[in-house]
Amino acid sequence: MPRLSSGAVSLAIEHAQSAASGPSPPPSLSLSVVLGRTRALSGHLTEVGISMAASCETDTDTEAETEAPEPRERDTPEDVVLEAPANGLAFHPARNLLAAGDVDGDVFVFEYSCREGETKELWSSGHHLKSCRDLAFSEDGRKLVTVSKDKAIHILDVEQGRLDQRTSKAHSAAINSLLLVDEHLLATGDDSGRIRLWDQRKEGPIMDLKQHEEYIADMALDPAKKLLLTAGGDGCLGVFNIKRHRFELLSEAQSGDLTSVTLMKRGKKVACGSSEGTIYLFNWNGFGATSDRFALKAESVDCIVPITDNLLCTGSTDGIIRAVNILPNRVVGSVGQHAGEPVEQLALSHCGQFLASSGHDHRLKFWNMTQLRSVVVDDYRKRKKKGGQLQALSSKAWGMDDFFAGLKEEEETVPDAAEEESEDSD
């Protein structure tokens, strides 16, 4: 006979007492029933004990998970690695989203975060047959417009990544540049130098002009959304009136291709990058000839993005992202780099805190602009030694000299006679 627990014995006694007060069953039957119920109760208690032990282990695991360290907060979001270099790059106008279009024709939308491990891909689209050259979000952020070497314009839904509209054979040559004017109008430029203006509510282009002899590298718009400025591979700055759908003028040709264009100094100056590593400046309403030029120690200026009214960042084939002040013209320092690989495109986030860059190393990188946005460059120009390295403007940039401590030069600083003035040619 198995040994009974104290609880089982008590239960047996209770059953015996209950049996004594009522009709008395046969002794053998009463004892067998009690023993059977005792065994069943003992098994049930064992199951309860196992369940409680498992519950305690679960609670311990939950507490351990709760006590796990929070994801580390970074100064910038983590790099995104693609399978191919990205030509196009654009930030969402309100949300922490970054879109990229690569040379394989794929379009990606990423949600970025400074919390480690939380930057992730939301969706991708492979509707383009050839390289995606440029892309842009609509003003309300609900649509993403892309253009490609396959001569097509695609409009995608940002939430789902669904292709909502396709304009095939929008140009007779590969489309290289895109600019959204408003919620309905967009401008495109192709490899032959042709500019087309589109109204999404209508069939076909509402303006079709060809004045450039080479590809359209980049476009910019004045605040009134009247004049469209184009940077051409023929070295000319083009001006088009999109209100009246007519051509205005071409500037004189510069040395090398004009690769990028943007407005600076509250719209009073137009800055153009070039394949020769020079930034050309034009006065507003003085587009025929340059008012100033600024040669950088860079192989090229392939892309530019304004950070403030005075400061812009440039990307070059040497892989370095430079911060440049306009009037006075200075190379302020290095924001970052793509390890010797060409920088393809730059974009500034909606909050102005992050600069994103794409390079031939297949990476999308983020750079913190908080300190750079507060930089003030004096008219006084400090002399420096020839061949001096660029100052690093972020913890991720090469050369960790203390740059911000020396930005505001003291007037009593006396340059050494052996040093030469080379700030404008940096």
Side-chain angles (χ1 to χ4, degrees):
M1 175 182 289
R3 184 178 179 180
L4 302 179
S5 66
S6 59
V9 172
S10 299
L11 182 62
I13 293 171
E14 289 178 7
H15 275 282
Q17 291 174 348
S18 176
S21 62
S24 299
S28 60
L29 179 61
S30 176
L31 182 58
S32 63
V33 169
V34 170
L35 291 176
R37 292 183 179 179
T38 300
R39 292 190 185 99
L41 179 60
S42 178
H44 177 69
L45 290 174
T46 302
E47 292 177 359
V48 171
I50 294 173
S51 176
M52 291 178 64
S55 177
C56 290
E57 290 177 1
T58 303
D59 291 341
T60 303
D61 293 341
T62 303
E63 290 176 2
E65 291 175 2
T66 303
E67 294 173 0
E70 292 290 327
R72 186 168 68 92
E73 195 77 17
R74 297 168 51 92
D75 185 51
T76 62
E78 295 174 278
D79 293 356
V80 175
V81 181
L82 302 176
E83 293 183 0
N87 290 323
L89 208 56
F91 278 101
H92 191 277
R95 298 168 57 189
N96 291 345
L97 302 180
L98 177 68
D102 69 18
V103 297
D104 290 338
D106 295 322
V107 176
F108 302 88
V109 171
F110 299 94
E111 183 176 33
Y112 60 89
S113 172
C114 286
R115 294 170 70 86
E116 199 164 69
E118 294 190 6
T119 296
K120 59 184 179 181
E121 178 186 322
L122 294 185
W123 54 263
S124 62
S125 168
H127 293 291
H128 282 300
L129 303 177
K130 296 181 180 180
S131 172
C132 178
R133 296 278 188 84
D134 205 356
L135 44 72
F137 284 98
S138 60
E139 289 182 349
D140 60 10
R142 297 171 60 186
K143 302 295 181 183
L144 179 66
V145 184
T146 66
V147 296
S148 169
K149 186 179 178 180
D150 64 11
K151 309 172 188 177
I153 303 172
H154 289 176
I155 301 178
L156 303 166
D157 177 79
V158 171
E159 291 297 328
Q160 305 295 328
R162 180 184 63 250
L163 178 61
D164 284 348
Q165 183 178 333
R166 175 193 284 116
T167 303
S168 301
K169 299 181 180 179
H171 282 249
S172 58
I175 305 175
N176 194 60
S177 183
L178 167 72
L179 186 142
L180 301 192
V181 178
D182 57 32
E183 59 179 332
H184 299 300
L185 299 180
L186 61 92
T188 53
D190 67 23
D191 281 356
S192 71
R194 184 175 298 278
I195 297 290
R196 284 182 170 176
L197 185 67
W198 305 82
D199 188 330
Q200 299 177 42
R201 299 163 296 185
K202 300 178 180 179
E203 291 289 336
I206 60 175
M207 184 182 81
D208 186 356
L209 298 171
K210 185 180 184 306
Q211 297 296 327
H212 288 279
E213 297 298 323
E214 297 289 342
Y215 66 96
I216 305 299
D218 195 16
M219 296 185 287
L221 194 65
D222 73 322
K225 298 183 177 181
K226 177 183 177 182
L227 295 181
L228 178 70
L229 308 179
T230 57
D234 54 6
C236 297
L237 173 69
V239 184
F240 299 83
N241 189 320
I242 59 174
K243 293 288 187 182
R244 298 187 178 183
H245 301 172
R246 71 184 188 191
F247 164 72
E248 294 290 341
L249 61 89
L250 283 181
S251 74
E252 61 183 13
Q254 310 304 321
S255 176
D257 304 359
L258 292 190
T259 57
S260 45
V261 57
T262 191
L263 274 63
M264 301 294 294
K265 296 288 185 179
R266 296 181 175 85
K268 296 179 181 178
K269 294 285 184 178
V270 176
C272 294
S274 76
S275 60
E276 301 296 315
T278 299
I279 294 178
Y280 294 97
L281 299 178
F282 296 83
N283 290 324
W284 189 258
N285 289 330
F287 302 117
T290 59
S291 63
D292 200 358
R293 64 187 63 192
F294 178 27
L296 311 183
K297 285 182 179 177
E299 296 177 14
S300 63
V301 179
D302 294 324
C303 49
I304 57 179
V305 62
I307 306 301
T308 67
D309 281 332
N310 303 317
L311 283 165
L312 57 81
C313 285
T314 69
S316 171
T317 53
D318 61 12
I320 300 175
I321 303 168
R322 293 170 172 82
V324 179
N325 190 83
I326 300 298
L327 298 176
N329 298 334
R330 312 279 172 78
V331 172
V332 179
S334 169
V335 170
Q337 65 287 317
H338 276 264
E341 297 288 342
V343 177
E344 190 67 34
Q345 191 57 270
L346 298 172
L348 188 67
S349 65
H350 63 90
C351 60
Q353 183 179 1
F354 300 118
L355 178 75
S357 61
S358 63
H360 286 202
D361 55 3
H362 299 196
R363 289 182 176 269
L364 307 181
K365 296 190 175 187
F366 295 85
W367 314 94
N368 196 308
M369 294 288 100
T370 303
Q371 288 181 294
L372 181 60
R373 293 178 68 86
S374 63
V375 166
V376 176
V377 178
D378 285 348
D379 288 340
Y380 173 74
R381 181 169 54 204
K382 182 180 178 181
R383 296 173 186 266
K384 69 175 186 177
K385 293 181 180 180
K386 185 176 181 180
Q389 292 185 346
L390 290 174
Q391 298 288 350
L393 307 188
S394 73
S395 60
K396 294 164 64 177
W398 290 339
M400 302 311 299
D401 296 328
D402 184 9
F403 161 73
F404 290 99
L407 257 186
K408 204 81 167 155
E409 294 95 354
E410 307 253 345
E411 289 191 0
E412 61 264 29
T413 302
V414 179
D416 186 68
E419 297 175 344
E420 74 176 43
E421 185 174 337
S422 60
E423 201 60 62
D424 277 0
S425 61
D426 200 3

